[in-house]
Amino acid sequence: MRVIEPVTAEDFRRYYDLRWKILRAPWDQPRGSERDARDAHSTHLMLVDDGQRLLGVGRLHFNTIREAQIRYMAVDTPQQRQGLGSLLLRELESRARSLGAATIVLDARESALGFYRKHGYHPNGTGHVLFQRIAHLRMSKSLAAAGQGR
Ligand SMILES: CC(C)(COP(=O)(O)OP(=O)(O)OC[C@H]1O[C@@H](n2cnc3c(N)ncnc32)[C@H](O)[C@@H]1OP(=O)(O)O)[C@@H](O)C(=O)NCCC(=O)NCCS
């Protein structure tokens, strides 16, 4: 098991495919809806097993030089709740820290609040409602206080 950055066109095809499958397909959203303009300027991470099977994905971008944002966290359905999302999140946080972030923000789906709380994120505002159905809550974590979440 390792966390890598997608490099080849095939890596990116699989990366966006999992993002779409977990975060868009269940709400009948078309292919392409899983991407946004920041993808070209973001850090993309994928978790693969020893047989190169893709298990999870996540993205990091910067809103300011000190504030990073995590988006599009997705672990393949059969592999959820086995610690894989935590592995990915920790690596995204490590990248954010080494790129100079002091704070990480994210918009958590209500269904994922427990996951982010466990990692030391705190709600600090209302978020948006996606597809008129999925409520999000803005959460943040100070990297100076990192270590409080696991
Ligand atoms: C949210 C997600 C990325 C978490 O990854 P994961 O691999 O399932 O999570 P982990 O196994 O690392 O979870 C670690 C801990 O976080 C908590 N947790 C994880 N998912 C949770 C959930 N949906 N609700 C409440 N707590 C949760 C649990 O305490 C868990 O530990 P436990 O299993 O020992 O109780 C993954 O479940 C997922 O892709 N979900 C669907 C897509 C999604 O909601 N993405 C986030 C968009 S904001």
Side-chain angles (χ1 to χ4, degrees), residues 22-23 73-76 79-87 107-109 111-116 118-119 136 150:
I22 302 298
L23 296 170
M73 282 283 303
V75 172
D76 205 0
Q79 276 82 40
Q80 290 176 9
R81 302 297 286 255
Q82 295 172 31
L84 303 184
S86 299
L87 270 177
D107 292 320
R109 294 182 179 201
S111 57
L113 284 180
F115 171 70
Y116 293 115
K118 192 145 190 174
H119 285 275
H136 287 73
R150 74 178 166 120

Side-chain angles (χ1 to χ4, degrees), residues 5 15 17 35 42 49-50 52 73 81 102-103 113-114 133 137 145 147 150:
E5 290 188 33
Y15 171 88
D17 184 62
R35 305 182 188 216
S42 298
D49 70 9
D50 296 339
Q52 299 306 307
M73 282 283 303
R81 302 297 286 255
T103 307
L113 284 180
R133 276 174 289 180
L137 201 63
R150 74 178 166 120

